[in-house]
Amino acid sequence: MKKFENFLIVLVLVLLFFSASKHSDVSIDIHLHDTFYVINSAYVTGWFALWLLIVFFLFKLIRRRRQYINPLFTITYNALTLLFFGGFLWLGLYNAPANGVGFTNAEIDGLIFRNQMRVVFAWCLLAVQVIFLLYFAVQLLKKPAVQR
């Protein structure tokens, strides 16, 4: 496979199927300061699928301008994106009410740990996306490849 960035289309399709599956009703609790936001995971996967489509076209723009994309960077980006976003979604796949009614203290501690791990996965995913944007900026600022 010469163009490793095409794997992003597969990720987009997987995310779209996930957002249409029975797991799309799982809620995501986001704790910001003193407020909890509860959102549906289908919205998160849909927006992230849109972001991956934008990244796909940015990779195509780099390839058109430079005629080359570092395959090691592309494979690493795809693998880390899949790992961190997949981990983020997998940690949220449990059937539990958001208010914690009827749980023991051990179960609540387990839910808190899962939530903390989701935050770690989300921050790592954000860091990978920022690194991609830096790579894109550097590749865009370099002189274009000479046409032969």
Side-chain angles (χ1 to χ4, degrees), residues 56-124:
F56 173 75
F57 287 118
L58 293 179
F59 268 127
K60 291 296 183 185
L61 181 65
I62 293 171
R63 185 172 293 281
R64 175 176 276 199
R65 183 170 168 85
R66 308 277 310 145
Q67 271 75 46
Y68 175 76
I69 295 177
N70 187 346
L72 181 63
F73 178 81
T74 308
I75 292 170
T76 305
Y77 172 79
N78 288 340
L80 290 177
T81 299
L82 181 64
L83 172 75
F84 292 132
F85 195 71
F88 176 79
L89 288 178
W90 180 75
L91 286 169
L93 294 180
Y94 59 92
N95 293 326
N99 59 7
V101 173
F103 286 113
T104 65
N105 286 341
E107 290 172 333
I108 290 177
D109 289 342
L111 291 174
I112 291 171
F113 176 74
R114 287 176 80 114
N115 192 28
Q116 290 170 344
M117 289 304 298
R118 286 184 85 184
V119 169
V120 168
F121 274 95
W123 279 110
C124 291

Side-chain angles (χ1 to χ4, degrees), residues 120-136:
V120 168
F121 274 95
W123 279 110
C124 291
L125 180 66
L126 181 63
V128 169
Q129 304 312 309
V130 169
I131 290 169
F132 165 76
L133 289 175
L134 292 173
Y135 174 78
F136 173 73

Side-chain angles (χ1 to χ4, degrees), residues 14-27 40-42 45 89 92-96:
V14 168
L15 290 176
L16 291 177
F17 283 125
F18 177 84
S19 65
S21 73
K22 67 177 184 172
H23 298 296
S24 65
D25 290 336
V26 174
S27 65
N40 197 338
S41 67
T45 55
L89 288 178
L93 294 180
Y94 59 92
N95 293 326

